[in-house]
Amino acid sequence: MTDFKPSILAFCCNWCSYAGADLAGVSRLQMPPNVHVIRVMCSASVKPEYVIKAVTQGIDGVLVLGCHIGDCHYLTGNHRTAKRIPLLQKILDEAGIDSRRIKLDWVSAAEGEKYQKVVTEFVEEIRRLGPNPLREVRF
Amino acid sequence: MNDPGKEISRLAFDERGADYLLAVREEYGNAGPAFVAKGEDVGDIRTDIPYQLVTILRKIYPYMEDGKIAVVIRRCEEKALNELIKRGIIDGDRIIRIGLACSEGQIEACRCTDPVPSCVDIGSPGKGWNEDQLSKELSAMSSEERLDFWVAQFRKCNKCYACSTNCPVCVCDHCVLEECTFVAEKGIPPGMAFHLIRAYHLSDKCTECGECERSCPAHIPLLTFRKMTNRDMKDLYGYESGDTETVSPLLTTLEGDLLEEEED
């Protein structure tokens, strides 16, 4: 499928990943334009419900980006995320939604290049997976 | 004992010093929950409990200011009670447990793997099932087939909220499933998000009692979904719900330390 343009949500934490995304932009790094960035105060404020809602409404992929473990502005916020997202991936897998559509990664404020790499690879992976099957499903 | 009702009331009031007894009894041909104070006639107590008494206990508990309450509990209810005690909703010292072993038929209905309560007072312990046939079949399917199966099942949902109303461990004061952010106010079926959010919320407390499946008017195999989620939880974090000590892995750091209390 060559003309498939995935739409992807990226939840970026205010303190690290959003600054990292900003740095990637300021540094003029080339990135696929499919990613919609949502700024959240901490990766732990990304309720799994939000991810579930996005996926069931037809978003092709969800990126959750936070500070590296130990660097969280709220000390243990990203520990929560690190526990929740793998479980969420498993639950989605049981329901038949490919768990690769959800990705958790750590991007610090200084890692503009890592942000570019994560986004590029994720968009490539979603392009291989194809559109979200739930986009076609009408409840 | 030939009369389980007499035996239950003897155990509760005489032997274990309870002030109240919560059990199921037959009245005018219907089985219903009965809350009996010490000294009252217990009536025709039944041992084939049709639903979770812990759900009823949780709902009347805030209005019971003193006294010890004896409850007839099966293994799943015991686990649910432990989960509630762990979360500080019920004071464990005020509850007196009267263990009831499930009959073969009940075990079969729940595909129950763990049917014997820690202390059996009534009934004879049966043997648990090894595996849920449907979850085995689903695991063998490809992910597209699995999605088709669940979409077809969840399309039957008529958003009656019976699964969450009858759930013994659904304890939030404000349910996110009643927020229009996650589940649309108008229209049925509510969509896939409803069931996935419920699966996520119950992942660290579901006791596989099967009440959601039994109360579902659309016969969605919810218990199978719960069993699959619980298995994932066990694979990922080695966590099984149903005791008073083990803290849910979602409430600890990666090293296993307790997170600070969440404020409402």
Side-chain angles (χ1 to χ4, degrees):
Chain A
M1 211 185 263
T2 46
D3 57 344
F4 166 53
K5 293 193 184 74
S7 53
I8 285 163
L9 278 188
F11 290 98
C12 292
C13 102
N14 181 38
W15 306 99
C16 299
S17 313
Y18 194 79
D22 199 29
L23 179 66
V26 171
S27 321
R28 311 259 166 129
L29 300 173
Q30 288 298 310
M31 276 177 285
N34 316 61
V35 178
H36 307 272
V37 177
I38 298 173
R39 179 162 70 162
V40 289
M41 287 311 282
C42 178
S43 55
S45 60
V46 184
K47 280 182 160 192
E49 289 92 323
Y50 296 144
V51 180
I52 290 172
K53 182 169 183 180
V55 171
T56 52
Q57 294 198 342
I59 280 282
D60 297 310
V62 179
L63 261 177
V64 180
L65 301 174
C67 310
H68 287 271
I69 294 290
D71 293 346
C72 181
H73 187 78
Y74 307 100
L75 305 175
T76 53
N78 49 13
H79 288 250
R80 290 168 193 254
T81 323
K83 289 278 184 78
R84 286 169 184 170
I85 302 295
L87 175 63
L88 181 63
Q89 285 174 328
K90 283 264 194 180
I91 290 175
L92 291 180
D93 232 1
E94 300 291 11
I97 301 161
D98 202 312
S99 61
R100 283 171 292 181
R101 292 188 188 279
I102 318 290
K103 191 175 178 184
L104 170 68
D105 217 324
W106 315 120
V107 175
S108 85
E111 294 177 327
E113 279 169 24
K114 184 174 178 191
Y115 180 82
Q116 180 206 25
K117 193 170 138 264
V118 168
V119 165
T120 318
E121 281 176 7
F122 189 61
V123 170
E124 208 37 63
E125 178 152 26
I126 296 296
R127 205 167 267 153
R128 271 202 304 278
L129 285 175
N132 185 348
L134 284 173
R135 186 179 280 192
E136 301 301 319
V137 175
R138 284 279 166 269
F139 264 98
Chain B
M1 272 294 144
N2 32 24
D3 185 5
K6 282 217 176 65
E7 172 72 358
I8 286 171
S9 76
R10 187 187 66 81
L11 277 171
F13 296 126
D14 303 334
E15 206 175 299
R16 298 187 186 165
D19 299 306
Y20 304 99
L21 168 67
L22 179 61
V24 169
R25 77 173 168 205
E26 196 164 319
E27 275 174 357
Y28 312 112
N30 292 317
F35 199 68
V36 188
K38 193 173 182 173
E40 281 178 27
D41 178 27
V42 290
D44 189 9
I45 300 263
R46 283 174 53 159
T47 51
D48 52 336
I49 300 176
Y51 38 69
Q52 295 278 303
L53 277 177
V54 170
T55 317
I56 294 162
L57 176 68
R58 196 190 79 230
K59 285 175 182 163
I60 57 173
Y61 185 80
Y63 307 102
M64 301 301 300
E65 276 155 15
D66 52 6
K68 289 194 167 182
I69 307 166
V71 198
V72 180
I73 49 172
R74 292 166 287 174
R75 177 64 186 148
C76 48
E77 291 170 302
E78 185 182 16
K79 289 200 273 186
L81 188 60
N82 286 342
E83 287 294 311
L84 296 177
I85 292 169
K86 186 160 78 187
R87 285 171 171 76
I89 294 161
I90 286 179
D91 179 7
D93 295 337
R94 284 186 55 198
I95 307 298
I96 291 164
R97 300 152 189 233
I98 297 170
L100 171 68
C102 284
S103 67
E104 292 291 334
Q106 282 170 314
I107 295 170
E108 191 183 338
C110 304
R111 290 91 79 192
C112 184
T113 50
D114 182 14
V116 186
S118 53
C119 125
V120 182
D121 297 310
I122 312 286
S124 52
K127 208 167 148 283
W129 282 47
N130 287 327
E131 211 165 358
D132 181 30
Q133 193 55 37
L134 182 58
S135 70
K136 207 168 153 188
E137 281 168 26
L138 282 168
S139 304
M141 283 180 183
S142 72
S143 101
E144 288 81 19
E145 286 171 325
R146 207 152 56 221
L147 185 68
D148 287 345
F149 174 83
W150 285 119
V151 165
Q153 291 294 335
F154 292 154
R155 272 204 177 119
K156 299 191 291 189
C157 177
N158 57 11
K159 207 166 76 173
C160 67
Y161 287 95
C163 46
S164 67
T165 310
N166 292 322
C167 179
V169 289
C170 239
V171 291
C172 307
D173 291 335
H174 304 285
C175 183
V176 292
L177 296 176
E178 287 163 16
E179 283 175 24
C180 57
T181 323
F182 299 110
V183 177
E185 272 179 11
K186 285 181 185 172
I188 51 167
M192 198 112 175
F194 184 96
H195 298 279
L196 291 176
I197 289 174
R198 244 184 84 71
Y200 174 78
H201 277 200
L202 292 177
S203 57
D204 64 342
K205 39 188 182 275
C206 178
T207 59
E208 299 179 15
C209 66
E211 202 49 49
C212 41
E213 183 172 302
R214 241 170 290 131
S215 57
C216 182
H219 303 297
I220 302 171
L222 290 166
L223 178 57
T224 300
F225 202 29
R226 293 289 112 75
K227 279 181 193 281
M228 288 160 87
T229 324
N230 272 11
R231 193 183 56 206
D232 290 341
M233 198 70 179
K234 203 178 166 192
D235 292 348
L236 265 180
Y237 302 119
Y239 171 82
E240 276 183 283
S241 59
D243 60 40
T244 41
E245 285 89 38
T246 332
V247 183
S248 156
L250 299 177
L251 301 174
T252 57
T253 63
L254 290 170
E255 293 83 36
D257 303 329
L258 210 61
L259 291 170
E260 67 276 24
E261 279 282 298
E262 268 184 76
E263 281 178 25
D264 209 3

